């Protein structure tokens, strides 16, 4: 009888120790990307992506897929949120349940993340934010961020406007905003609003959101064109909305681009956006680099070694003027 009690006691002790060790090693390994879920030696990365709303987004997703491939030692679990924050929150909770080694989040908007990021932190899973930023009072809720300086991109655009369109004469501006509350929309809008305060001759005659999509961009621009017979500048917060706006202008016989009445400023500098610039349809295109996969992987490699990489890192970007862009510029592009 005593022997039986001893055997039962020892097995309970062994089980307790094993489960404690597993939890500790998960938390410890979470910073080293250990194999925590039967995926062999692969490091499991859960990626909550905004959606597939634009060419930029597709390039961003592809960069993550190419980087976090099995041949590179990773298993990528990609979840597309169709631009809904509720789906992203559900995805993060699913990654926690699956005990992934790392979570990557491309947040659709800036607000509303503290609770679910706290859950990931409590689970000991490092969370890396890419592309847009979140608005939080607690920077410890995420490990690192990789993305663009959207305000700076907008300032590059308005400096081009001042230099090439002048700030001493009336400019009637149509402003197509991206997904409201996203860092890209906030930064690009702030830059234009600051320029408006410095250039009283500029007037934003129409402003609406096209949610970064071509279809919504066309719908919004068609409405604006019918209300405003003269639009000197379209300040468009991404290429896909610009493509939609161009469709609307074509249908209403309005001209645009280098030789047209409405000058188009766009953001992203996707291959299609730069093709439009090369064709003289988009006057100026400010790059927003989607190739963030390698930067995220570099962060994970540091974390695996127990190092603490830079909290914020910005991707490299440039801009393109239709009057100087060449076919060679386009051929060199990776997306
Ligand atoms: C920018 C990114 C934006 C792009 C859009 O980093 O968040 O979202 O400008 C995309 O094309 O939809």
């Amino acid at each position: 009888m005593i022997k039986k009690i001893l055997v039962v006691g020892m097995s309970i002790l062994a089980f307790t120790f094993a489960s404690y060790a597993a939890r500790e090693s998960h938390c410890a390994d979470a910073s080293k990307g250990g194999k925590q879920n039967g995926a062999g030696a692969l490091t499991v990365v859960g990626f909550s992506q905004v959606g597939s709303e634009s060419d930029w987004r597709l390039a961003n997703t592809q960069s993550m897929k190419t980087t976090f491939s099995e041949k590179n030692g990773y298993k990528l679990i990609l979840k597309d949120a169709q631009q809904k924050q509720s789906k992203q929150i559900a995805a993060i909770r699913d990654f926690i349940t699956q005990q992934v080694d790392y979570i990557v989040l491309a947040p659709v908007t800036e607000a509303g993340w503290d609770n679910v990021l706290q859950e990931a932190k409590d689970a000991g899973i490092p969370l890396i934010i890419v592309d847009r930023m979140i608005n939080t009072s607690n920077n410890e809720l995420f490990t690192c961020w990789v993305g663009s300086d959207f305000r700076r991109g907008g300032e590059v655009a308005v400096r081009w406007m001042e230099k090439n369109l002048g700030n001493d004469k009336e400019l009637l501006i149509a402003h197509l905003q991206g997904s409201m509350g996203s860092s890209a929309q906030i930064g690009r809008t702030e830059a234009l609003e600051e320029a408006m305060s410095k250039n009283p001759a500029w007037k934003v005659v129409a402003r609406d959101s096209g949610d970064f999509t071509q279809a919504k961009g066309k719908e919004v621009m068609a409405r604006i064109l019918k209300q405003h017979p003269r639009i000197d500048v379209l300040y468009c917060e991404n290429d896909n909305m610009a493509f939609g706006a161009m469709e609307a202008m074509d249908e209403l016989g309005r001209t645009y681009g280098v030789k047209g009445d409405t000058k188009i400023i766009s953001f992203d500098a996707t291959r299609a956006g730069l093709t439009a610039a090369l064709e003289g349809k988009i006057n100026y295109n400010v790059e927003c680099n989607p190739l963030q996969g390698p930067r995220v992987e570099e962060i994970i490699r540091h974390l695996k070694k127990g190092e603490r990489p830079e909290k914020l890192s910005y991707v490299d970007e440039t801009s393109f003027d239709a009057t100087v862009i060449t076919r060679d510029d386009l051929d060199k592009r990776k997306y």
Side-chain angles (χ1 to χ4, degrees):
M1 185 57 176
I2 291 174
K3 190 175 174 202
K4 191 180 278 185
I5 290 169
L6 271 176
V7 166
V8 170
M10 286 302 286
S11 53
I12 289 169
L13 195 61
F15 174 76
T16 309
F17 174 75
S19 61
Y20 174 75
R23 199 179 68 245
E24 277 307 294
S25 72
H26 176 71
C27 294
D29 283 355
S31 62
K32 300 189 184 66
K35 44 191 174 191
Q36 298 309 321
N37 19 56
L42 298 179
T43 298
V44 184
V45 175
F47 176 36
S48 171
Q49 177 60 291
V50 166
S52 48
E53 74 281 1
S54 64
D55 291 33
W56 187 98
R57 189 63 55 194
L58 299 179
N60 183 247
T61 297
Q62 190 53 52
S63 173
M64 295 292 286
K65 282 180 175 175
T66 305
T67 304
F68 294 105
S69 64
E70 292 215 357
K71 74 174 172 57
N72 289 343
Y74 291 93
K75 177 176 182 242
L76 181 71
I77 306 172
L78 167 66
K79 288 182 179 284
D80 175 330
Q82 287 99 39
Q83 294 183 280
K84 291 181 179 57
Q85 183 176 36
S86 58
K87 286 179 182 275
Q88 291 201 286
I89 290 170
I92 293 170
R93 289 187 169 131
D94 186 36
F95 295 147
I96 294 169
T97 305
Q98 292 188 56
Q99 286 197 324
V100 300
D101 296 304
Y102 298 91
I103 294 173
V104 179
L105 167 66
V108 60
T109 52
E110 293 201 339
W113 298 101
D114 281 12
N115 293 340
V116 74
L117 265 53
Q118 187 60 57
E119 292 167 32
K121 188 176 178 63
D122 294 345
I125 303 175
L127 187 139
I128 298 162
I129 296 177
V130 292
D131 180 22
R132 304 170 187 175
M133 186 40 125
I134 63 168
N135 193 346
T136 179
S137 55
N138 178 3
N139 267 359
E140 289 308 305
L141 288 178
F142 65 95
T143 307
C144 295
W145 170 86
V146 180
S148 300
D149 183 338
F150 303 109
R151 172 82 180 241
R152 189 197 65 81
E155 288 163 356
V156 167
V158 294
R159 273 201 300 275
W160 182 91
M161 289 167 64
E162 288 168 343
K163 181 164 174 277
N164 292 274
L165 306 179
N167 53 7
D168 51 357
K169 64 180 172 54
E170 186 184 57
L171 274 186
L172 302 186
I173 300 168
H175 179 191
L176 257 60
Q177 296 177 285
S179 306
M180 298 310 287
S182 68
S183 311
Q185 175 272 313
I186 293 169
R188 292 166 186 166
T189 294
E190 282 177 348
L192 179 61
E193 285 174 341
E194 184 192 9
M196 299 304 292
S197 66
K198 287 191 296 185
N199 302 303
W202 292 7
K203 290 179 179 40
V204 172
V205 296
R207 167 174 282 160
D208 201 344
S209 173
D211 207 16
F212 285 134
T213 68
Q214 184 161 340
K216 192 81 189 297
K218 179 179 180 179
E219 177 196 317
V220 166
M221 189 63 177
R223 195 165 52 240
I224 291 172
L225 292 166
K226 287 168 187 154
Q227 293 164 354
H228 300 278
R230 176 189 149 200
I231 298 286
D232 301 318
V233 181
L234 169 61
Y235 182 92
C236 194
E237 293 183 357
N238 90 325
D239 285 338
N240 292 82
M241 294 190 295
F243 305 151
M246 287 190 267
E247 285 178 311
M249 288 189 274
D250 288 341
E251 288 177 9
L252 291 167
R254 305 281 277 268
T255 62
Y256 51 87
V258 172
K259 296 193 176 105
D261 294 337
T262 300
K263 305 307 175 190
I264 300 181
I265 315 296
S266 186
F267 294 85
D268 284 354
T270 58
R271 180 171 299 282
L274 292 186
T275 301
L278 197 62
E279 293 166 351
K281 294 176 180 172
I282 288 179
N283 294 77
Y284 194 61
N285 206 325
V286 179
E287 182 184 23
C288 182
N289 186 345
L291 306 181
Q292 296 157 351
R295 300 291 283 272
V296 176
E297 205 268 335
E298 187 186 345
I299 288 169
I300 288 177
R301 274 192 279 111
H302 283 301
L303 293 174
K304 283 183 174 185
K305 288 186 272 185
E307 296 164 357
R308 290 189 69 81
E310 284 294 307
K311 187 83 176 175
L312 308 176
S313 55
Y314 292 88
V315 290
D316 304 324
E317 296 166 331
T318 183
S319 55
F320 299 86
D321 183 320
T323 59
V324 294
I325 192 172
T326 63
R327 166 59 61 185
D328 186 48
D329 292 324
L330 196 58
D331 293 344
K332 281 189 288 197
R333 302 291 291 165
K334 291 183 186 158
Y335 68 94

